[in-house]
């Protein structure tokens, strides 16, 4: 292994110093020929020009030794690849109309695909959802609801399927952090909720079981954005006080900047949830999350919770008489996304069709370009270029074009992703989507695939055995063959086939939108306004106090 690494290092060092090595070789050859010519002039009395000619004949040709020297370095393939790349760049610069058209088409296709991949990677492929479940009460295939304090405490004490389990109660609160009071989303959470999700603060500490005890000092974990807005800097937030529904809470931690929601629930503040001892089975309203233990599955957890439901039912039957209800776990990804996952999947399929149309368009342009270069390719073959060498040249050109399209596509994808986040459908964690390294790698993979597809016709062209006669046929007849016409027609058919479902789907969506916009609500809604008022429960604890307000 070390010997192989040393050889590889020497070869790349030779490639990096190839100009110096070529210059040294040229000096050595020139010195050798000069010495040989001087010897001929001295021994045979030849004139300088004749002596140099005889010395060159005896040497046997400079090019032969130069080529042998290049082969001895072991990096000829890299040098030829660099030559092919330079030639491809010059060819693209000499055809600006073709280059701009092809790059623009590829940029749109790759950019749209990269933006959608970033959204899918963040929303659907998020590894944080693995091994996480949400637990419901369920009494029919379609009737699911949240849990009560009785259910949650029973799961905490008796379950055998989860390594961590936690509860959350979310809602709007009146929030004040030294300035004007305002409404804010809040998530009252237990310590197990953060442990189950594998999330912890970057500053301070998280919620601990001691914070959940009724009567413990009120504490809260806050989001990064809220910390910056309220205190100017996240480092100044820990230890500060905020007022939530009239109760002063101490900030004990700040979440990472990229966390804006947990388990599909967005919130700016996360106070510790203090659950009082229940007097009846209800009320229900807790979102309960569990992380599956190492050897547990959703099915084993379902059986475990079903048995737990049967055990706790007799104890609270007086306040909850639905014997058929069972505590049931569902994969958190399914619970959070719902039908949104299918919608994003359909959107991804539509963008994939757009990418295929783009590749077909550019492949059609490449077809016209390559058939116009048939005489050049045939001439290179007659002059001694091997099919493998020509194949590498043409594939390098298509890959270079695809790489330029990918670079432009990354810029387009960044803009498209911003537009998708701003005006797209509301999906959990979509606002966290970014063009990260995986998105760039995805764009590079698309460019490689597109380059190979676009270079497919040059490969077919080179596999023909009648390249030399095409020199006599003339350049105009090269692209007029039946096979070329069939391939060109195939590209056109493929573009129509890919465009048809996109047009049909767009038409159906537009028709649905028009129908919905024409639905008569049964009253004139234009002069009607609605106002929502939410009051702090500490100052207005009951219906009578709210009515008086």
């Amino acid at each position: 292994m070390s010997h192989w690494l040393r050889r590889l290092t020497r070869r790349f060092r030779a490639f990096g110093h190839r100009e110096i090595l070529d210059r040294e070789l040229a000096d050595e050859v020139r010195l050798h020929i000069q010495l040989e010519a001087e010897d001929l002039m001295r021994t045979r009395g030849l004139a300088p020009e004749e002596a140099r000619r005889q010395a060159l004949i005896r040497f046997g040709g400079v090019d032969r030794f130069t080529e042998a020297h290049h082969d001895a370095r072991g990096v000829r393939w890299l040098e030829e690849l660099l030559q092919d790349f330079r030639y491809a760049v010059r060819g693209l610069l000499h055809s600006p109309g073709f280059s701009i058209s092809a790059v623009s088409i590829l940029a749109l296709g790759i950019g749209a695909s990269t933006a959608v991949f970033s959204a899918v990677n963040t929303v659907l492929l998020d590894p944080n959802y693995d091994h996480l479940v949400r637990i419901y009460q369920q009494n029919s295939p379609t009737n699911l609801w949240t849990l009560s304090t009785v259910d949650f405490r029973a799961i905490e004490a008796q379950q055998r399927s989860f390594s961590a389990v936690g509860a959350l109660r979310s809602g709007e609160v009146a929030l004040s952090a030294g300035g004007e009071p305002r409404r804010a989303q809040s998530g009252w959470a237990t310590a197990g909720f953060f442990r189950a999700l594998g999330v912890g603060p970057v500053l301070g500490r998280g919620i601990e079981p001691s914070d959940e005890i009724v009567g413990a000092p009120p504490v809260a974990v806050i989001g990064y954005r809220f910390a910056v807005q309220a205190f100017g800097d996240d480092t100044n937030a820990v230890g500060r006080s905020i007022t939530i529904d009239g109760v002063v809470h101490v900030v004990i931690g700040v979440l990472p900047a990229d966390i804006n929601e947990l388990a599909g629930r967005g919130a700016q503040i996360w106070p510790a949830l203090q659950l009082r001892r229940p007097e009846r089975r209800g009320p229900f309203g807790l979102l309960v999350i569990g992380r599956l233990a190492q050897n547990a599955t959703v099915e084993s957890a379902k059986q475990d919770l079903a048995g737990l439901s049967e055990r706790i039912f007799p104890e609270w039957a007086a306040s909850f008489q639905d014997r058929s209800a069972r505590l049931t776990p569902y994969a958190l990804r399914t619970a959070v996304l719902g039908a949104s996952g299918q919608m994003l999947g359909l959107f991804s399929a539509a963008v994939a069709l757009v990418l295929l149309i783009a590749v077909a368009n550019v492949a059609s342009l490449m077809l016209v370009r390559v058939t116009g270069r048939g005489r050049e390719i045939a001439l290179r073959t007659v002059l001694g270029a091997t099919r493998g060498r020509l194949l590498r040249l043409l594939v390098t050109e298509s890959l270079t074009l695809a790489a330029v399209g990918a670079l432009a596509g990354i810029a387009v994808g960044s803009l498209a992703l911003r537009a998708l986040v701003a005006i797209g459908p509301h999906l959990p964690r979509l606002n966290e989507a970014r063009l990260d390294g995986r998105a760039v790698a995805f764009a590079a993979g698309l460019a490689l695939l597109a380059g190979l597809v676009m270079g497919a016709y040059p490969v077919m062209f080179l596999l023909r055995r009648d390249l030399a006669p095409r020199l006599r046929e003339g350049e105009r007849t090269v692209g007029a063959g039946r096979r070329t016409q069939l391939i060109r027609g195939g590209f056109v058919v493929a573009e129509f086939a890919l465009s048809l479902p996109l047009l049909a789907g767009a038409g159906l969506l537009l028709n649905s939108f028009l129908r919905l916009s024409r639905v008569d609500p049964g009253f004139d809604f234009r002069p009607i306004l609605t106002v929502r008022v939410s009051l702090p429960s500490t100052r207005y604890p009951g219906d009578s106090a709210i009515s008086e307000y």
Side-chain angles (χ1 to χ4, degrees):
M1 187 67 178
S2 60
H3 175 67
W4 182 83
L5 289 176
R6 285 197 300 271
R7 287 180 55 191
L8 186 64
T9 302
R10 285 198 301 269
R11 289 184 177 184
F12 277 98
R13 186 183 296 122
F15 177 77
H17 298 82
R18 59 188 182 279
E19 295 181 358
I20 298 176
L21 295 176
D22 289 341
R23 189 163 53 250
E24 291 177 352
L25 175 65
D27 292 341
E28 185 175 349
V29 170
R30 184 167 51 253
L31 177 62
H32 183 85
I33 294 174
Q34 181 180 353
L35 293 176
E36 184 70 20
E38 291 176 355
D39 182 67
L40 289 174
M41 287 188 295
R42 186 175 56 256
T43 58
R44 296 189 179 185
L46 298 178
E49 294 79 4
E50 180 63 21
R52 177 174 173 77
R53 190 179 71 83
Q54 292 292 334
L56 288 173
I57 293 174
R58 290 187 178 186
F59 190 78
V62 177
D63 292 340
R64 177 169 62 88
F65 288 97
T66 301
E67 295 297 324
H69 181 259
H70 289 172
D71 291 337
R73 298 178 193 169
V75 290
R76 173 181 283 273
W77 62 272
L78 194 57
E79 295 176 353
E80 292 179 350
L81 182 62
L82 184 60
Q83 295 173 1
D84 294 343
F85 175 73
R86 291 173 178 170
Y87 182 82
V89 172
R90 288 197 302 268
L92 294 177
L93 293 177
H94 288 163
S95 304
F98 164 79
S99 302
I100 293 174
S101 300
V103 169
S104 300
I105 294 172
L106 285 175
L108 291 175
I110 294 178
S113 301
T114 304
V116 172
F117 171 80
S118 299
V120 170
N121 183 56
T122 302
V123 177
L124 294 182
L125 305 181
D126 183 10
N128 293 326
Y129 285 136
D130 296 341
H131 309 295
L132 290 175
V133 298
R134 177 178 173 182
I135 305 173
Y136 293 91
Q137 282 279 9
Q138 182 176 14
N139 61 2
S140 73
T142 58
N143 191 26
L144 297 86
W145 66 94
T146 53
L147 274 58
S148 66
T149 301
V150 171
D151 302 323
F152 173 62
R153 292 305 188 195
I155 293 172
E156 271 192 322
Q158 303 180 37
Q159 62 84 20
R160 300 185 302 273
S161 302
F162 306 107
S163 59
V165 63
L168 175 75
R169 177 180 288 134
S170 59
E172 274 195 347
V173 296
L175 176 63
S176 176
E180 289 292 329
R182 58 190 178 90
R183 307 301 301 176
Q185 285 292 330
S186 174
W188 305 80
T190 64
F193 181 78
F194 292 97
R195 287 202 307 271
L197 293 176
V199 175
V202 292
L203 292 174
R205 66 175 180 88
I207 296 175
E208 298 177 355
S210 58
D211 299 321
E212 303 174 24
I213 301 174
V214 177
V219 296
V221 174
I222 62 175
Y224 174 83
R225 291 183 182 178
F226 176 74
V228 174
Q229 293 172 359
F231 305 109
D233 189 359
D234 58 325
T235 58
N236 297 325
V238 177
R240 303 288 288 272
S241 298
I242 57 176
T243 303
I244 304 174
D245 279 347
V247 178
V248 178
H249 289 65
V250 176
V251 176
I252 59 173
V254 180
L255 292 177
D258 59 344
I259 294 181
N260 299 311
E261 59 182 45
L262 295 173
R265 301 298 175 93
Q268 297 173 301
I269 53 175
W270 307 84
L273 177 61
Q274 298 180 354
L275 297 173
R276 298 184 180 276
R277 182 179 179 86
E279 298 179 356
R280 59 189 182 93
R281 182 71 179 267
F284 300 90
L286 294 180
L287 185 153
V288 177
I289 300 298
R291 176 174 290 274
L292 292 171
Q294 184 173 4
N295 297 322
T297 63
V298 176
E299 281 300 319
S300 64
K302 184 177 181 179
Q303 296 176 4
D304 182 19
L305 293 176
L308 191 151
S309 300
E310 294 180 357
R311 289 195 298 272
I312 66 174
F313 178 80
E315 302 177 21
W316 304 91
S319 58
F320 183 74
Q321 300 178 3
D322 190 349
R323 182 178 291 273
S324 63
R326 292 290 183 271
L327 295 170
T328 308
Y330 282 84
L332 183 60
R333 181 179 281 107
T334 302
V336 170
L337 296 178
S340 300
Q342 298 178 355
M343 178 175 59
L344 196 55
L346 291 175
F347 189 48
S348 303
V351 173
L353 291 178
V354 172
L355 176 63
L356 291 176
I357 293 173
V359 172
N361 269 289
V362 178
S364 182
L365 293 175
M366 290 285 291
L367 173 64
V368 176
R369 176 178 168 83
V370 172
T371 52
R373 297 174 58 192
R375 186 178 180 85
E376 173 199 342
I377 296 174
L379 181 61
R380 288 175 178 270
T381 303
V382 172
L383 292 178
T386 63
R387 293 178 182 269
R389 185 72 177 83
L390 290 173
L391 174 62
R392 190 166 60 195
L393 170 64
L394 295 177
V395 172
T396 301
E397 290 183 4
S398 63
L399 290 177
T400 301
L401 181 63
V404 177
L407 292 176
I410 292 174
V412 172
S414 178
L415 298 176
L417 183 59
R418 294 180 184 178
L420 181 62
V421 172
I423 64 176
H426 175 71
L427 295 173
R429 302 189 68 228
L430 180 60
N431 58 342
E432 300 176 17
R434 299 290 184 274
L435 282 181
D436 54 8
R438 284 176 290 186
V440 174
F442 178 77
L446 288 181
L448 176 62
L449 181 61
L452 294 177
V453 172
M454 293 185 303
Y457 180 75
V459 172
M460 296 172 57
F461 188 83
L462 285 174
L463 291 179
R464 300 178 186 177
R465 299 182 179 180
D466 56 345
L467 288 176
R470 293 183 178 273
L471 280 173
R472 298 186 297 272
E473 294 176 4
E475 185 174 343
R476 186 172 56 182
T477 62
V478 174
R482 180 177 178 83
R483 182 180 301 178
T484 300
Q485 294 177 358
L486 289 175
I487 295 176
R488 189 178 301 174
F491 280 133
V492 174
V493 171
E495 290 178 41
F496 271 101
L498 294 170
S499 301
L500 183 61
L502 286 178
L503 291 174
L508 291 173
L509 289 175
L510 180 59
N511 183 55
S512 299
F513 174 77
L514 293 176
R515 287 175 177 268
L516 289 174
S517 63
R518 294 170 182 168
V519 172
D520 185 7
F523 59 92
D524 186 6
F525 58 85
R526 287 173 295 181
I528 299 176
L529 301 177
T530 62
V531 179
R532 180 181 178 185
V533 179
S534 181
L535 303 176
S537 58
T538 54
R539 295 181 58 185
Y540 304 92
D543 294 340
S544 59
I546 294 175
S547 299
E548 290 178 5
Y549 173 85

